[in-house]
Amino acid sequence: MMQNLTGQFQIKDWQETTQSEYEEGKRSLAKVKLEYSGDIVGTSDLQYLLSYQADGSAEFVGFETIQASVNDISGYLILRHLGQFVNGVASSQFEIIQSSIDDNLIGLKGDFTSGENGVAGYTIHLN
């Protein structure tokens, strides 16, 4: 059995709008489209709510719906994200909260760290 699900995703679209501004930063909403490769193959729609600090770093939360196939089974995964953006690098811890592909995926946790040109590597840790 595989140890983890791994691969990468590419940001295809990022539309971010400021929701509110205050002295030490701002809050914004990002609507993002991703394309997945590796053990998960498909596309996703993701919404992040970001809270920026004065130095440009940010904390974010989000929900992502991935239309994908895993081990040749097609369906969807819904992920809940908790992440940060520091020194130009985004990273997130996430959890699969719904799955039509395999109920055993629900509750699994993973993470990603962004790289160059909107590409990030992901890992989902199998129990």
Side-chain angles (χ1 to χ4, degrees), residues 9 19 24 26-28 32 58 67 107 111 118 126:
F9 61 79
Q19 304 294 299
E24 294 299 317
K26 68 177 181 176
R27 193 175 72 231
S28 66
V32 186
Q67 298 291 334
D111 52 75
L126 299 177

Side-chain angles (χ1 to χ4, degrees), residues 3-51:
Q3 290 302 104
N4 294 314
L5 297 175
T6 61
Q8 62 182 24
F9 61 79
Q10 169 76 54
I11 296 173
K12 292 298 189 182
D13 189 43
W14 184 290
Q15 302 291 327
E16 188 170 332
T17 54
T18 298
Q19 304 294 299
S20 60
E21 293 187 68
Y22 40 92
E23 197 170 310
E24 294 299 317
K26 68 177 181 176
R27 193 175 72 231
S28 66
L29 175 68
K31 296 181 179 179
V32 186
K33 294 192 181 303
L34 305 175
E35 190 170 280
Y36 277 79
S37 60
D39 292 329
I40 298 172
V41 178
T43 59
S44 81
D45 285 302
L46 166 61
Q47 288 193 349
Y48 284 139
L49 189 60
L50 302 103
S51 178

Side-chain angles (χ1 to χ4, degrees), residues 35-89:
E35 190 170 280
Y36 277 79
S37 60
D39 292 329
I40 298 172
V41 178
T43 59
S44 81
D45 285 302
L46 166 61
Q47 288 193 349
Y48 284 139
L49 189 60
L50 302 103
S51 178
Y52 286 92
Q53 283 74 53
D55 65 3
S57 66
E59 302 279 332
F60 58 84
V61 295
F63 289 96
E64 177 176 11
T65 302
I66 307 172
Q67 298 291 334
S69 65
V70 179
N71 299 327
D72 296 323
I73 301 170
S74 294
Y76 68 85
L77 301 170
I78 297 179
L79 278 53
R80 179 179 59 221
H81 286 269
L82 179 60
Q84 59 186 355
F85 179 75
V86 180
N87 296 325
V89 176

